[in-house]
């Protein structure tokens, strides 16, 4: 008998599990806002150079043509240049003139921003346009660097100090520093706060996933893991609504961070993972938590004592006598195979997830479209996880994502509707792949080093998200080259996924020996798992 048998005696997936999973998943409604916040906080309004000082009172659209040249496309005003001298003759009705010889200069007196789409953004506040345009993407890169750093730091800390304590700290860190970011007086200060917020987001995600998985019986893992991912989906829709309503970057920054004070307040109710407590020589606390869970579930187990608990987990306790480090993720053959394959899968998922674009609709509508696409994609992931298993689901999602990316290469740029449809399909398959890999990773790594493993593969994911924008620069060499790189990476990741062991209806491993190649224990009764549990 193992820990899963104790969970069944304590009520299986009962009232406690429902409350526990729901409360841990609820912050996911706003974690989507953190990852995608830069799209709105640093939205680029339509802009052009301010007119010369002596004509600053002139703001009529027709008069602007005397001061600002058209861009090379000829369809809109140039954003970074103005005439050295006003060209009044260009205001003549139906007048046409050769303006290529007219002298222009950079925007010496700042910019005029259009406020119809955004009232205020970091771009308009700190003039991050023209020569400073790369600084917009730098904000997101710095944030992802924080997520990467948080995965490394909080992953190791939670295996040492527990999932619950690090999760509680992460809520508080995001609440305080996220709200403080709204008061940033300069660009540099804002970047520092976003970096620290990224660290907190990483701590919330990796600890929330493990704390949920380690209290869920084997049969319900698929269903619960997939359904709770919908919190992130609905969070994308909420972000679009909040951004459209507020349209001010400081207000939006505060609104998406203040609720984490509430999450911090109720997170003290969470129960630390009993698996982790036992394996870290805190069996008395684990026993207390198990009794509490059983009591809430209405199935008290008064006969459960320390001796009974130790007898259930004797093998795990005996094999966990030394301190484990990140090196143990690649030390044995089984762990090395899992880590290398997951590195490839996480890297590709993160590369593709933040690259989908839709050019002919507003940014708010685009956010709603891509958020809505997640709903059928996650339902598809649930069906695939239930009937195909984790390995085939992961590989299929990656291969289909690659197929869509390659198909988009052959679609002409002027067929934007078709390109948008393909972008939505690609986003859907990537979302399904993310849903699978979050659950899959938690099931593959053993309890004694699960958080270190989650942090390790999350590091690869953030590396991918930081590198993704840089790959887009390759279109200057050859327009289709970025798509070839992303599609090729998806194919490669799909092949790596094929070498991962299957975990459908298999108990969570607790020690490194449990992932040596032979599953700890397979469930013979698959009825009541996944979609069948509905």
């Amino acid at each position: 008998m193992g820990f899963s048998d104790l969970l069944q005696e304590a009520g299986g997936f009962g009232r406690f599990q429902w409350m526990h999973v729901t409360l841990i998943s609820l912050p996911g409604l706003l974690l989507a806002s953190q990852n995608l916040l830069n799209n709105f906080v640093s939205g680029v309004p339509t802009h052009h150079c301010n007119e010369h000082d002596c004509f600053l009172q002139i703001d009529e659209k027709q008069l602007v043509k005397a001061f600002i040249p058209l861009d090379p496309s000829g369809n809109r005003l140039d954003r970074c240049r103005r005439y050295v001298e006003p060209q009044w003759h260009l205001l003549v009705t139906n007048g046409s003139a050769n303006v290529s010889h007219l002298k222009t200069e950079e925007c010496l007196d700042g910019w005029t921003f259009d406020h119809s789409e955004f009232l205020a953004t970091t771009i308009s506040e700190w003039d991050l346009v023209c020569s400073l345009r790369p600084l917009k993407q730098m904000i997101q890169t710095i944030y992802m660097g924080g997520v990467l750093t948080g995965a490394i730091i909080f992953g190791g800390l939670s295996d040492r100090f527990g999932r619950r304590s690090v999760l509680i700290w992460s809520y508080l860190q995001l609440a305080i520093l996220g709200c403080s970011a709204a008061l940033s007086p300069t660009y540099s200060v804002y970047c520092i706060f976003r970096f620290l917020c990224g660290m907190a987001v990483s701590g919330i995600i990796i600890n929330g996933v493990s704390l949920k998985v380690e209290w869920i019986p084997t049969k319900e893992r698929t269903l619960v893991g997939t359904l709770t991912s919908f919190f992130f989906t609905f969070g994308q829709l909420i972000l679009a609504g909040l951004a459209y309503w507020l349209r001010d970057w400081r207000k939006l920054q505060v609104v998406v961070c203040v609720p984490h004070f509430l999450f911090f307040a109720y997170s003290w109710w969470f129960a630390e993972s009993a698996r982790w407590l036992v394996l870290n020589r805190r069996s008395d606390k684990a026993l207390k938590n198990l009794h509490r869970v059983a009591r809430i579930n209405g199935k008290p187990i008064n006969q459960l004592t320390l001796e009974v608990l130790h007898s259930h987990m004797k093998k795990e306790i005996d094999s966990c006598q030394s301190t484990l480090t990140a090196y143990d993720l690649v030390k044995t053959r089984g762990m090395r195979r899992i880590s290398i394959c997951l590195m490839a899968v996480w890297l590709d998922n993160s590369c593709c997830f933040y690259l989908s674009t839709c050019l002919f609709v507003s940014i708010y509508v685009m956010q709603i479209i891509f958020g809505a696409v997640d709903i059928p994609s996650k339902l598809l992931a649930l069906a695939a996880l239930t009937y195909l298993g984790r390995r085939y689901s992961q590989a299929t999602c990656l291969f289909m994502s690659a197929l869509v990316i390659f198909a988009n290469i052959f679609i002409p740029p002027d067929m934007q509707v078709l390109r948008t449809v393909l972008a939505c399909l690609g986003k859907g398959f990537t979302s399904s792949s993310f849903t699978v890999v979050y659950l899959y990773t938690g099931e593959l790594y053993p309890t004694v080093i699960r958080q270190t493993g989650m942090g390790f593969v999350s590091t690869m994911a953030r590396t991918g998200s930081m590198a993704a924008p840089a790959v887009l620069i390759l279109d200057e060499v050859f327009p289709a080259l970025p798509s070839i790189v992303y599609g090729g990476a998806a194919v490669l990741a799909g092949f790596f996924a094929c070498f991962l062991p299957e975990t459908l209806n298999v108990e969570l491993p607790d020690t490194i020996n449990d992932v040596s190649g032979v599953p700890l224990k397979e469930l013979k009764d698959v009825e009541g798992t996944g979609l069948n549990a509905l």
Side-chain angles (χ1 to χ4, degrees), residues 52 65-69 82-85 87 90 99 102-103:
H52 299 75
K65 294 180 181 178
F67 299 89
I68 310 298
R82 71 179 185 181
Y83 292 123
V84 174
E85 297 291 339
Q87 305 298 316
L90 298 178
V99 298
L102 298 177
K103 293 183 178 181

Side-chain angles (χ1 to χ4, degrees), residues 143-154:
Y143 168 77
M144 285 300 176
V147 177
L148 184 154
T149 305
I152 298 173
I153 294 177
F154 289 142

Side-chain angles (χ1 to χ4, degrees), residues 158-170:
S158 57
D159 271 332
R160 184 174 181 181
F161 299 107
R163 290 80 163 105
R164 176 178 173 271
S165 57
V166 176
L167 181 60
I168 292 173
W169 170 259
S170 298

Side-chain angles (χ1 to χ4, degrees), residues 313-321:
M313 302 189 66
K314 184 176 185 303
K315 184 181 71 172
E316 291 86 349
I317 295 173
D318 291 342
S319 62
C320 186
Q321 300 299 323

Side-chain angles (χ1 to χ4, degrees), residues 161-452:
F161 299 107
R163 290 80 163 105
R164 176 178 173 271
S165 57
V166 176
L167 181 60
I168 292 173
W169 170 259
S170 298
Y171 285 142
L172 183 61
Q173 179 174 325
L174 183 56
I176 295 176
L177 299 181
C179 292
S180 299
L183 304 175
S184 301
T186 64
Y187 170 83
S188 300
V189 172
Y190 181 68
C191 287
I192 293 173
F193 279 124
R194 287 299 289 161
F195 178 86
L196 296 174
C197 286
M199 290 183 61
V201 167
S202 193
I204 292 173
I205 292 176
I206 63 178
N207 286 285
V209 169
S210 290
L211 201 56
K212 284 187 292 186
V213 167
E214 292 174 5
W215 276 112
I216 299 175
T218 304
K219 291 182 179 180
E220 287 78 16
R221 286 204 309 259
T222 300
L223 181 63
V224 174
T226 305
L227 293 183
T228 54
S229 68
F230 277 98
F231 283 87
F232 189 90
T233 297
F234 295 136
Q236 297 180 62
L237 303 178
I238 291 173
L239 174 61
L242 290 175
Y244 183 80
W245 170 46
L246 297 171
R247 302 198 182 210
D248 182 287
W249 77 271
R250 293 186 186 273
K251 294 178 181 178
L252 182 60
Q253 180 76 44
V254 170
V255 167
V256 299
C257 293
V258 163
H260 286 87
F261 283 109
L262 173 63
F263 304 146
F264 166 76
Y266 73 60
S267 63
W268 294 90
W269 179 85
F270 295 158
E272 180 59 89
S273 168
R275 295 173 183 268
W276 178 86
L277 289 169
V278 171
L279 296 178
N280 283 270
R281 303 174 183 86
R282 297 175 61 184
S283 299
D284 53 341
K285 181 65 175 178
L287 182 64
K288 183 178 179 180
N289 282 354
L290 280 168
H291 279 294
R292 176 192 172 200
V293 170
R295 184 173 63 255
I296 295 175
N297 285 340
K299 290 191 175 183
I301 43 178
N302 298 324
Q303 71 278 14
L304 179 61
T305 62
L306 281 177
E307 291 73 18
V308 175
L309 179 60
H310 288 162
S311 66
H312 276 69
M313 302 189 66
K314 184 176 185 303
K315 184 181 71 172
E316 291 86 349
I317 295 173
D318 291 342
S319 62
C320 186
Q321 300 299 323
S322 59
T323 302
L324 301 178
T325 65
Y327 173 67
D328 292 282
L329 295 173
V330 294
K331 186 176 181 180
T332 64
R333 182 178 180 182
M335 291 295 295
R336 186 162 52 247
R337 180 178 66 170
I338 288 173
S339 296
I340 292 175
C341 292
L342 285 178
M343 282 170 57
V345 174
W346 278 84
L347 182 66
D348 177 74
N349 275 337
S350 192
C351 268
C352 298
F353 190 80
Y354 298 103
L355 291 175
S356 300
T357 58
C358 181
L359 301 178
F360 70 99
V361 297
S362 74
I363 189 172
Y364 305 106
V365 176
M366 179 185 73
Q367 184 62 56
I368 292 175
I369 291 174
F370 286 139
V373 166
D374 269 12
I375 297 176
S377 68
K378 291 182 185 297
L379 293 176
L380 176 65
L382 175 58
L385 286 167
T386 302
Y387 300 113
L388 294 180
R390 279 63 162 146
R391 178 171 54 195
Y392 292 123
S393 298
Q394 189 72 77
T396 300
C397 289
L398 290 166
F399 287 138
M400 292 303 297
S401 177
L403 182 62
V404 171
I405 293 173
F406 286 138
N408 220 8
I409 297 176
F410 303 99
I411 306 301
D414 57 333
M415 300 179 65
Q416 292 197 7
V417 174
L418 181 56
R419 292 179 67 87
T420 299
V421 171
L422 289 177
C424 290
L425 284 175
K427 172 66 163 57
F429 284 120
T430 304
S431 178
S432 296
S433 182
F434 247 128
T435 302
V436 175
V437 77
Y438 265 110
L439 176 64
Y440 204 5
T441 303
E443 294 179 338
L444 285 169
Y445 280 124
T447 302
V448 293
I449 202 170
R450 181 167 293 122
Q451 290 306 87
T452 301

